[in-house]
Amino acid sequence: MPLMGGDNLIQLHNITKIYPNNVTALKNISLSIEKGEFVFIIGSSGSGKSTLLKLLLKEIEPTQGEIIINDKNITHLKKKEIPFLRRKLGVVFQDFRLLPNKTVYENVAFAMQIVEATPKEIRRNVPMVLSMVGLAKKARCYPNQLSGGEQQRTALARAIINNPPILICDEPTGNLDPVTSWEIMKLLKDINDRGTTVIIATHEKDIVDKMKKRVIEIKNGTLIRDLSKGGYSDED
Amino acid sequence: MKIRTMKYFAGQGFRGIWRNRLMSLASIGTIASCLMIVGIFYCIAVNVDYMLETLEETTGITVFYTEETEEISEEKIQALEDQLNRIDHIEKIIYISPEEALNKEKEEWGEYGSLLEGLENDNPLPPSFELTLDDIRYQKEVISQLNQINGIEIRYLEEETKILIGFNNMIRIVSLVLIVILGFIGVMLMDNTIRLTVYIRKNEINIMKYIGATDWFIRWPFIIEGIIIGVIGSILPLIVIWFSYNFITELIYERNTFIQKILVFRTTGEIFNLLTPISLVIGIGIGVIGSAISIRRYLKV
């Protein structure tokens, strides 16, 4: 069994997830994502894409199957090891999830404090990442003083500040207008170009169609399509 | 743990207390009143114990022959001492000759001691033994054994001892029960206080978990919050007790010299040698246990 594959950063083997209320969210999903890939996971709400992301983040455990990230089997990770797995995964959510009582700078620095970075590292890295996402001038603003796009940029900066090899985005443009959405996608592309593997769960057709990246479609918990350089639907 | 991380935890701990000052105040108040009662009972218990100890030393049991003094030979005294030596729980046996007994009387009579002058040649006081017990609780046992020795009289303070022992036992039971009940209430209130801070910071905790914070990294600020509340809650009653103890003992000593003979008090210093660590341990204990209970519920992400 090809459990350890050369550049495969993430591997799912026959993953099934049945929730305690007997809802089958995922059925026998197998897929692998290579290092440096840019992947869309698409499907309507309730299709199981959120479950898939939750499995990767170790919020839940699969009922069956195995998950391997970075050559490490994380299927049954000890509770104590979960934080260290999550440090390898940057996360961005649809609702940004910034701390309202902290400035942009502090929100990003906070992620470094958690991994016990030195103040020197924090002072050096935070402005660097903020200017990369185009927020250098907003460092002292609080989240409620920012536009949605700016808030998502802050969240992105926070997600990548510790240099995770994988960036997971759950509907990152769900709360943004089309123009801003494109800016965020461009940023995600930049981040991907620097070597970070980017996984995006979305149901925005336009974006998926134009990006021409790998598309994994899930419907009713089953993987129905896995195309490199695909579009949102088969008709394209 | 790195120093800057500890600083971060301490800062977060203080901030938590401030953000939630009303509940923090309530928790401090509960811990403080809990420890206030603990402290008061401790003071009483320690002093009753001390009075018992003093009673053991000063009064003890006195035995002497009922015969006329002239008829008591050296051998008889020696024989009695041997008999006394065989009884358990007698810690000290002091022989008091008639002369010594007279001198002691004179001393106790103080300025009226001169009235006893002239008795030296016709001393009515018999030779006696003063017995000190290792624990006054065994008084009854020892007395019943002494009663089996013929021709001696036994003098001891029965009533006073009984009352003090009874009082002492009661104080101990009451303070133990109170400590348990108040400790329980303290932990519950603490749990509520911290639960509120944890709830306010629910989003923050959630985000921290996604970024990869370890459980301990999340837990520490709350535990420090509990420690701070516990420390403040234990220092407050200590201060109050310190001043009131000084005030009350001085008042009793000043007002009533007669009472001093029975009511002997430990010094404030002696009381606080043990009361301070006891209070701090209970206070911090309540604070930390209360926080730990409420964080547990929120750490399951």
Side-chain angles (χ1 to χ4, degrees):
Chain A
M1 245 179 106
L3 280 183
M4 309 264 256
D7 274 345
N8 283 344
L9 194 57
I10 299 172
Q11 296 176 69
L12 304 187
H13 293 280
N14 302 318
I15 289 293
T16 297
K17 174 69 191 177
I18 302 167
Y19 283 110
N21 57 2
N22 274 328
V23 171
T24 307
L26 292 175
K27 267 178 277 178
N28 251 333
I29 301 253
S30 292
L31 58 89
S32 60
I33 294 170
E34 279 176 31
K35 209 170 156 220
E37 267 195 282
F38 193 108
V39 184
F40 284 111
I41 297 173
I42 61 169
S44 54
S45 48
S47 58
K49 38 180 214 303
S50 296
T51 302
L52 192 65
L53 296 189
K54 279 183 182 162
L55 284 168
L56 293 177
L57 287 167
K58 273 322 271 183
E59 256 183 82
I60 49 176
E61 284 208 348
T63 314
Q64 261 171 42
E66 293 200 309
I67 305 171
I68 290 141
I69 293 181
N70 227 350
D71 290 341
K72 189 172 163 57
N73 192 328
I74 64 146
T75 319
H76 302 289
L77 211 55
K78 278 189 207 128
K79 205 170 166 284
K80 255 165 65 185
E81 291 178 275
I82 294 175
F84 300 95
L85 165 75
R86 288 185 181 159
R87 289 176 192 188
K88 294 199 178 84
L89 309 165
V91 208
V92 173
F93 299 96
Q94 179 174 6
D95 54 357
F96 321 133
R97 299 202 190 168
L98 300 173
L99 295 170
N101 54 346
K102 282 184 159 65
T103 63
V104 167
Y105 182 95
E106 287 165 346
N107 262 291
V108 179
F110 183 57
M112 290 190 81
Q113 274 175 338
I114 284 173
V115 298
E116 301 194 58
T118 64
K120 209 175 132 195
E121 287 169 328
I122 294 177
R123 279 195 300 273
R124 193 190 58 210
N125 292 359
V126 176
M128 222 166 66
V129 172
L130 282 181
S131 70
M132 185 193 150
V133 299
L135 279 179
K137 284 180 183 160
K138 302 271 183 177
R140 287 167 185 277
C141 292
Y142 286 90
N144 61 5
Q145 299 169 311
L146 302 175
S147 69
E150 286 165 340
Q151 288 189 50
Q152 195 59 298
R153 283 162 190 268
T154 310
L156 259 173
R158 183 181 63 192
I160 60 171
I161 187 80
N162 292 324
N163 274 319
I166 302 164
L167 180 61
I168 294 176
C169 310
D170 190 6
E171 306 275 0
T173 56
N175 282 359
L176 306 174
D177 62 74
V179 177
T180 318
S181 294
W182 271 111
E183 285 169 15
I184 295 294
M185 289 316 295
K186 231 187 120 251
L187 208 51
L188 287 169
K189 178 83 179 36
D190 287 346
I191 291 166
N192 177 242
D193 286 343
R194 290 159 172 249
T196 308
T197 305
V198 176
I199 300 167
I200 302 169
T202 186
H203 52 246
E204 288 186 57
K205 188 177 183 307
D206 274 9
I207 288 175
V208 179
D209 284 344
K210 280 193 189 149
M211 292 291 286
K212 294 268 177 267
K213 295 286 183 186
R214 181 174 170 192
V215 174
I216 295 169
E217 185 172 355
I218 296 171
K219 196 176 181 182
N220 295 329
T222 331
L223 197 152
I224 58 166
R225 197 156 60 105
D226 185 351
L227 284 178
S228 50
K229 298 189 180 173
Y232 194 85
S233 46
D234 286 323
E235 298 91 71
D236 297 324
Chain B
M1 198 191 298
K2 289 167 184 150
I3 289 173
R4 64 172 173 279
T5 312
M6 281 197 282
K7 270 193 202 159
Y8 165 80
F9 291 154
Q12 290 297 316
F14 276 108
R15 231 185 266 183
I17 290 176
W18 183 245
R19 244 187 253 175
N20 196 358
R21 29 195 184 277
L22 217 71
M23 277 309 277
S24 306
L25 220 64
S27 304
I28 291 173
T30 330
I31 293 178
S33 29
C34 167
L35 288 174
M36 185 79 204
I37 294 172
V38 170
I40 291 171
F41 274 86
Y42 176 81
C43 289
I44 297 173
V46 164
N47 278 310
V48 170
D49 228 36
Y50 184 50
M51 285 170 206
L52 273 175
E53 235 173 73
T54 322
L55 201 71
E56 273 164 30
E57 275 165 20
T58 54
T59 59
I61 303 169
T62 311
V63 288
F64 49 85
Y65 279 109
T66 42
E67 302 160 58
E68 286 294 310
T69 312
E70 296 85 55
E71 286 164 26
I72 304 167
S73 61
E74 293 279 331
E75 290 82 43
K76 257 187 147 173
I77 292 170
Q78 189 56 50
L80 180 57
E81 187 169 358
D82 289 344
Q83 269 178 304
L84 294 175
N85 266 325
R86 281 196 291 270
I87 298 175
D88 280 339
H89 300 304
I90 294 179
E91 194 180 59
K92 229 167 35 183
I93 301 171
I94 302 169
Y95 172 69
I96 310 240
S97 67
E99 295 76 37
E100 279 170 323
L102 187 64
N103 284 336
K104 216 175 151 192
E105 272 316 294
K106 277 185 188 168
E107 238 171 69
E108 272 179 29
W109 284 40
E111 50 184 308
Y112 305 105
S114 56
L115 293 174
L116 298 175
E117 297 286 344
L119 282 176
E120 284 90 350
N121 297 326
D122 189 17
N123 194 342
L125 299 169
S128 61
F129 284 102
E130 275 187 6
L131 312 179
T132 311
L133 305 185
D134 54 8
D135 192 324
I136 202 158
R137 272 163 261 272
Y138 297 114
Q139 198 186 54
K140 231 178 159 178
E141 245 180 273
V142 174
I143 296 290
S144 73
Q145 291 194 57
L146 288 173
N147 277 329
Q148 288 162 17
I149 303 173
N150 287 327
I152 57 161
E153 196 173 320
I154 308 156
R155 291 219 178 129
Y156 61 98
L157 292 174
E158 195 182 7
E159 280 308 305
E160 288 86 337
T161 313
K162 250 193 208 159
I163 291 169
L164 271 178
I165 290 174
F167 194 53
N168 199 17
N169 287 339
M170 189 192 76
I171 292 276
R172 275 176 196 198
I173 292 166
V174 171
S175 36
L176 210 74
V177 170
L178 272 176
I179 289 173
V180 171
I181 293 173
L182 287 166
F184 189 69
I185 295 173
V187 166
M188 288 208 313
L189 244 123
M190 198 59 218
D191 173 22
N192 265 304
T193 308
I194 298 289
R195 200 186 308 170
L196 214 69
T197 355
V198 175
Y199 182 79
I200 291 168
R201 296 184 58 194
K202 199 177 60 195
N203 283 331
E204 199 172 331
I205 292 175
N206 208 310
I207 293 165
M208 284 166 91
K209 295 217 74 162
Y210 279 116
I211 299 173
T214 56
D215 282 356
W216 275 107
F217 191 92
I218 295 168
R219 230 175 255 148
W220 268 114
F222 297 107
I223 289 182
I224 287 177
E225 198 176 323
I227 292 175
I228 297 166
I229 288 176
V231 168
I232 300 173
S234 41
I235 287 175
L236 285 179
L238 284 177
I239 295 170
V240 175
I241 291 173
W242 174 278
F243 284 110
S244 9
Y245 190 80
N246 269 337
F247 178 75
I248 290 169
T249 49
E250 263 167 43
L251 199 75
I252 291 174
Y253 279 153
E254 255 172 47
R255 287 280 173 85
N256 213 326
T257 42
F258 164 72
I259 253 175
Q260 265 190 61
K261 284 212 167 165
I262 319 161
L263 292 180
V264 275
F265 294 102
R266 290 272 186 198
T267 62
T268 319
E270 284 172 324
I271 294 272
F272 277 78
N273 267 343
L274 211 66
L275 184 60
T276 310
I278 288 177
S279 295
L280 281 172
V281 166
I282 296 178
I284 293 172
I286 292 175
V288 170
I289 293 169
S291 334
I293 290 174
S294 61
I295 316 164
R296 266 176 67 105
R297 269 171 265 187
Y298 280 92
L299 272 183
K300 296 171 194 153
V301 173

